Amino acid sequence: MAEHRLLTAHVGEDGLDTLKGYERTGGYQALRKTLGMTPDAIIEEVKASGLRGRGGAAFPTGTKWSFLPKDVFPRYLCCNADESEPGCFKDRYLIDTNPHQLIEGLLIAAYALQVHHAFIYIRGEYHDQRLTLERCVEEARAKGYVGSKIMGKDFDCEVIVHGGAGAYICGEETALLSSLEGYRGQPRLKPPFPAIKGLYGQPTVVNNVETLSTLPHIMERGGAWYKTIGCETSAGTRLFCCSGHINKPGVYEMAMGTTIRELLEEECQGMLEGSELKAFQPGGGSMQILLPEHLDLPLDFDAVAKAGSSLGAGAMVFMDQTTCLVNVSMRLVDFYHHESCGKCVPCREGTYFESKLMHRLEQGEATLEELATLEDICDNMNGKCFCPLGDTATWFVMSAYKAFREEFRSHCGAAACPVRHPVVMV
Amino acid sequence: MALTDSLRSTITALRDRYPQPRSAVIPALWAVQEAEGYISAERFADIADLLSITPSEVESVATFYSMFALKPRGRHFLLVCTNVSCALRGSDGVVERLESRIGPSGSTSADGTMTWEQTVECLGACGYGPAMQLDHHFVENLTAEEIDDLLEHTEKYLPSHGEAHHGAADAHEAHAHAEPTSENGESEPRKGRRRSAKR
């Protein structure tokens, strides 16, 4: 199995980022077909496809949709394009290369859920991508695909592209909704889940860019067809963002179930010359570290979970023997410290202490006794924070500490980084 | 200074897009920052007035999000990613270069041209590191040595005039034509959003 291109099938074709170019590839035909079906039939089709959310939690999309209470209106749909997971750049890639595919998917979901206001919440840093989407929405409106009486049918839907302004936490769905309502982007207590009380207190579905971009393909060729791609527990294809010490970094669309080794060796063309794989992150900055011995794991949500990590948001960061994991952990802990929203104490204070400790350790200033408190700090955060940000702030550093304990210990009192400047024993 | 009529009508139009006016707070703050370079306390009150909320509510939002500038910056703004993927590809060298040329993160060059900041927030360019954003446009695969060129010929690293705001019809046209040439007439690879479509 090599790359399996579905969402990226037409990348590189002339004008794919325009409505005309997209329609040349058969674009908007799935929406046309969908508008002739009943909303319930669409939800059943998506359930049958086995599609699981591509934002990180891998929750079955059709099931999520079916949680909306019957007969409560208005309902809202939000596309989560707040991609900020360290190592992740696939949503940006999809918007850059094929923005109308996302808009078509959004409209399909809007019709299935009987939504008349669909939002795309895109992170502030994706300024050019926001402009691209705004341009595409206007192109679609001019063609009668957005607005009232879409494609001449009795269905109205407004699409609003809403830019964020720099807050990782807004990728958490309830924080995204707070932000979209015009508040600080802080998460809300669940339950009630957004499906019951979401945007403006109304039933709301939040779906990832890649999830929505998959819908035109499922509706065009059927849920049963989609389920034949990939593996038993993870249907379809997925975009993997590959970075680090590899020859060909980039975004690759693979059938689920392919091995990580194949992704690394064939698509990424292996490690850089002179580089040996030391460790990798299979799901972005939040996820636990894996080792070369895990390379033969399949790209399958459940198999990677069993190995103690997660495919998360689809980011693969490969690190070679020159990489200091104390330094990497410090950067990630700094990230969570910076992005903690401040709402709950374990996260706000925990990330502060974690960051302080990791800086001292990286500088060689920490003692072994201090290092021992790292586990205590993380233990007081994991599972005790208001939202997953605080939990995930401990996952990478704890897994790296477990797998590379000596490396962490050797930093205590070291004059220089023992990994990048190893002490030669005479 | 009073709010300009143009900003007032922009914010009003933004407000009217949403089922509830308060949703327009972030877009309104962006509109002010884009027009005036930063957001002054006076504008909190102007936005609040148009959205029927209090100035402190606007301020609470403005201070939560890291991209809002609450004091003036240089003519250009350079944001450098130092998260893991960019670090593995040499972002420390870029940071050192900028520190020696301009000063610590947050500094503005003496001539007021450039303000730079380093960020731990991943910019979403992990396959193309070291990555940064110049006035919100991606500049990727940049070595520390190239920083000098970026500081001296900043315009070269921005998308060609008008491209970022291109209309629907000429979208593809703009891609095809905007290959800048150097003084000796040779075509140079352009940095910026073009790279994002690279695999």
Side-chain angles (χ1 to χ4, degrees), chain A residues 113-343:
Chain A
L113 302 166
Q114 293 296 289
V115 161
H116 303 298
H117 274 101
F119 297 87
I120 303 177
Y121 186 105
I122 183 164
R123 69 181 296 200
E125 288 83 353
Y126 288 178
H127 170 271
D128 290 351
Q129 288 69 21
R130 172 167 64 78
L131 296 180
T132 298
L133 286 171
E134 282 174 353
R135 166 179 62 79
C136 291
V137 168
E138 290 318 308
E139 283 183 312
R141 187 193 306 281
K143 255 315 233 339
Y145 299 168
V146 166
S148 53
K149 300 262 175 257
I150 291 175
M151 291 185 168
K153 296 281 195 319
D154 191 21
F155 173 59
D156 304 344
C157 187
E158 268 309 315
V159 176
I160 298 162
V161 182
H162 184 96
Y168 169 72
I169 186 60
C170 292
E172 195 281 332
E173 60 179 0
T174 61
L176 183 151
L177 297 174
S178 300
S179 178
L180 187 50
E181 287 177 358
Y183 294 87
R184 293 162 79 89
Q186 292 184 319
R188 307 169 180 174
L189 195 63
K190 295 193 276 194
F193 287 90
I196 311 298
K197 278 195 186 307
L199 188 64
Y200 311 128
Q202 294 297 118
T204 303
V205 165
V206 182
N207 281 147
N208 171 258
V209 170
E210 188 183 348
T211 310
L212 292 170
S213 296
T214 308
L215 295 176
H217 303 277
I218 291 174
M219 296 317 297
E220 187 194 337
R221 303 174 72 174
W225 163 81
Y226 185 79
K227 197 149 184 12
T228 61
I229 307 169
C231 60
E232 184 62 31
T233 45
S234 302
T237 65
R238 185 145 200 226
L239 270 62
F240 291 96
C241 316
C242 301
S243 64
H245 297 128
I246 51 178
N247 282 313
K248 231 179 127 210
V251 177
Y252 300 99
E253 184 175 10
M254 310 291 288
M256 298 295 285
T258 315
T259 64
I260 298 171
R261 185 183 300 281
E262 198 176 320
L263 176 63
L264 170 62
E265 289 175 3
E266 286 173 34
E267 307 310 328
C268 306
Q269 295 179 13
M271 299 295 289
L272 290 169
E273 204 184 323
S275 280
E276 256 174 65
L277 181 65
K278 176 176 179 177
F280 67 101
Q281 279 183 295
S286 297
M287 298 311 163
Q288 292 87 347
I289 201 165
L290 289 180
L291 304 170
E293 70 204 54
H294 295 113
L295 276 181
D296 290 310
L297 281 173
L299 293 165
D300 164 34
F301 295 116
D302 297 10
V304 176
K306 232 176 268 169
S309 188
S310 165
L311 281 185
M316 294 271 171
V317 186
F318 296 100
M319 297 172 247
D320 75 5
Q321 74 283 4
T322 63
T323 312
C324 170
L325 290 167
V326 169
N327 185 279
V328 170
S329 302
M330 178 191 76
R331 285 176 200 272
L332 287 170
V333 165
D334 272 354
F335 167 75
Y336 291 104
H337 176 222
H338 184 260
E339 297 304 323
S340 175
C341 79
K343 179 164 179 154

Side-chain angles (χ1 to χ4, degrees), chain A residues 18-38:
Chain A
T18 65
L19 187 116
K20 215 167 126 190
Y22 181 58
E23 289 203 303
R24 256 201 309 270
T25 68
Y28 287 107
Q29 288 307 315
L31 175 63
R32 200 173 290 280
K33 179 178 169 186
T34 306
L35 292 177
M37 297 168 65
T38 66

Side-chain angles (χ1 to χ4, degrees), chain A residues 3 93 162 180 184 200 246, chain B residues 18 23 60 89 122 199:
Chain A
E3 262 193 296
Y93 181 81
H162 184 96
L180 187 50
R184 293 162 79 89
Y200 311 128
I246 51 178
Chain B
Y18 294 92
S23 283
S60 80
R89 290 290 189 155
C122 174
R199 298 186 66 79

Side-chain angles (χ1 to χ4, degrees), chain A residues 3 5 14-15 17-18 76 85-89 92-93 96 119 123-128 130-132 135 139 160-170 179-185 200 243-246 249-252 317-319 323 328 331-332 334-335 338-339 341, chain B residues 17-20 22-27 30 34 53 57 59-61 63-68 79 82-85 87-89 91-92 119-128 133 135-138 140 159 164-169 171-172 175 192-193 195-199:
Chain A
E3 262 193 296
R5 299 175 66 168
D14 227 24
D17 65 347
T18 65
Y76 295 104
E85 184 64 35
C88 205
F89 51 108
R92 170 185 165 202
Y93 181 81
D96 274 334
F119 297 87
R123 69 181 296 200
E125 288 83 353
Y126 288 178
H127 170 271
D128 290 351
R130 172 167 64 78
L131 296 180
T132 298
R135 166 179 62 79
E139 283 183 312
I160 298 162
V161 182
H162 184 96
Y168 169 72
I169 186 60
C170 292
S179 178
L180 187 50
E181 287 177 358
Y183 294 87
R184 293 162 79 89
Y200 311 128
S243 64
H245 297 128
I246 51 178
V251 177
Y252 300 99
V317 186
F318 296 100
M319 297 172 247
T323 312
V328 170
R331 285 176 200 272
L332 287 170
D334 272 354
F335 167 75
H338 184 260
E339 297 304 323
C341 79
Chain B
R17 294 200 305 175
Y18 294 92
Q20 293 189 10
R22 185 176 177 139
S23 283
V25 174
I26 290 179
W30 270 127
E34 271 164 29
I53 51 179
E57 286 176 302
E59 185 177 1
S60 80
V61 172
T63 52
F64 183 81
Y65 298 92
S66 63
M67 293 180 76
F68 290 130
L79 190 64
T82 57
N83 207 302
V84 176
S85 296
L88 297 177
R89 290 290 189 155
S91 64
D92 281 356
T119 179
V120 287
E121 186 166 8
C122 174
L123 292 179
C126 321
Y128 328 109
Q133 285 199 323
D135 301 343
H136 306 313
H137 307 291
F138 280 104
E140 298 166 330
H165 300 275
H166 58 58
H172 203 71
H175 276 248
R193 63 194 295 269
R195 295 226 171 170
S196 58
K198 229 171 89 171
R199 298 186 66 79

Side-chain angles (χ1 to χ4, degrees), chain A residues 356-376:
Chain A
K356 217 172 153 162
L357 173 56
M358 288 311 296
H359 273 269
R360 284 178 54 77
L361 183 65
E362 208 263 348
Q363 291 296 310
E365 291 161 3
T367 60
L368 285 169
E369 290 72 33
E370 261 181 283
L371 178 58
T373 63
L374 181 64
E375 278 174 295
D376 189 43

